[in-house]
Each structure stands twice: as structure tokens, then as C-alpha cells.
Amino acid sequence: MANERLRERHLAPSILSADFARLGAQVGEVLAAGARVIHVDVMDGHFVPPITIGPLIVGALADQVHSSGAVIDVHLMIERPEALVAEFARAGADAITVHPEATPHLHYALAAIHEAGCDAGAAICPGTPTGVLVEVGDDLDLALCMSVNPGWGGQKFIAASLGKLARMRSGLPETVALEVDGGVNEDTAGAVVDAGANLLVAGSAVFGSDDPAAAFAQIAAAAGFR
Ligand code: DX5
Ligand code: ZN
């Protein structure tokens, strides 16, 4: 894995819930609070209904994030993600995660991500069995368990994700980072870590707060990360 950051334990703020009119300042607040993985949710209006962020925004944040020693973790909720991997890599992505539900060519997409010089992740929706990831375990740097249905921030954590995380952890090589995304907050952070996750994405729980830096610190503490 190119980025040792992904194997460490981190709370990864998702900019999806940030104030986009002051995006650089908001990212600066969480970097100053200690964030070292910045999660970017890319949605295409097809795989999921909303349209969000493209390579332009990744490129706009890349210098600020990298100069803090942090990495950009791009979560592609788009159909046929393999077509856009190179563009996100050029924009400054460090890790790129695709959904097997969005492409018939998961193995090819992971190879394309590595070819582009990034770490490769695969994310599965709540209804998708874990076996799809086990088949490509040796080609993965990161496995992402969606603990809500993809598309929106601020949804309730799906409790069955805890057992799923544990199955993912035990079924994948130990070098594969395990990320959980959706409904992570002060109340759920401890349980997802206990289930085996080392990367916790949090959007609304961080940026929905009046003080994102304080919220970041509180959730990281609840996770036992500091
Ligand atoms: C949802 C995205 C998440 C989202 C999480 O489709 O993948 O990363 O930002 O939001 P919260 O933390 O509010 O559940
Ligand atoms: Zn995400």
C-alpha cells in the first residue's frame, strides 16, 4: 500500500456535509484538529440520485491536504467508475474506492486505480454480500462497508453493519484497511472500531456541528483514537 495512512486508525471527515461556500476553510479546520484522511464523496446522479463533487474540487483541495501530511480518500458512487479513475488520480486523489454494484469489471477497475498510482478500494452497499470483496482481496488496499445506503449524509447507522464489518475483517488479508461509512458519530464510533474498522468516515457528525474541530476531536476520542 502506497499510503501507510490508510492502515493507521483515523477519523476521516467527509466534505459532503461541509459548507461548500467556505470549503477550504472547513477542510482547514479539520486538518488543524488532526484529520489526516479527507473523504470525498463523488456522486453521478445515476448510481445514486444526487450529483456532488468532481475532479475539479479534488484538485482545488489537493495542495492544502497534502501539505498537512493528509491524504485524499475518494469514494466514487458513480457508474462505470473505471472511466474516471485516471482523472481523479491526476487531480490529486491518493486512494480511490469503487462500488462493485456500479461496474461489471471490479478487478479491472482496481487494476486501473493501481495503474494510476493510487491505492485501490472497493465499497459495498448494505445489501451486498461480503464475498464479492473476498474474491479480490489480494488486489485491495481498502475495503469499505457502507453502513447506510449511499447517496446522502445524515442517515441512521444500520446496526447489521457491525456483524458485516467483523466478517469483512476476518475474510480479508490483514493488510487491507477496513473503512466504515455512514451514520458514524460519538455513539457509534466505539462499536465500529470494536468490529474491526480502522478508518471511520463521518460527515454530518463533523461538519453539521457549529465547531467541526471540536466534533472531530470528540468522535476521535469516542473511537479510542486519541
Ligand atoms: C454517503 C456517503 C458518506 C456520507 C456520510 O453516501 O458515502 O460518506 O458523507 O455521511 P454521514 O456521516 O452524515 O452519515
Ligand atoms: Zn463516502
Side-chain angles (χ1 to χ4, degrees), residues 14 16 39 41 43 75 77 146 150-154 181-183 201-204:
S14 162
L16 184 63
H39 187 83
D41 287 307
M43 305 186 190
H75 177 192
M77 286 162 276
M146 289 299 309
W152 300 271
D181 186 1
V201 176
S204 55

Side-chain angles (χ1 to χ4, degrees), residues 201-219:
V201 176
S204 55
V206 171
F207 290 112
S209 161
D210 289 341
D211 187 346
F216 175 88
Q218 276 160 11
I219 302 164

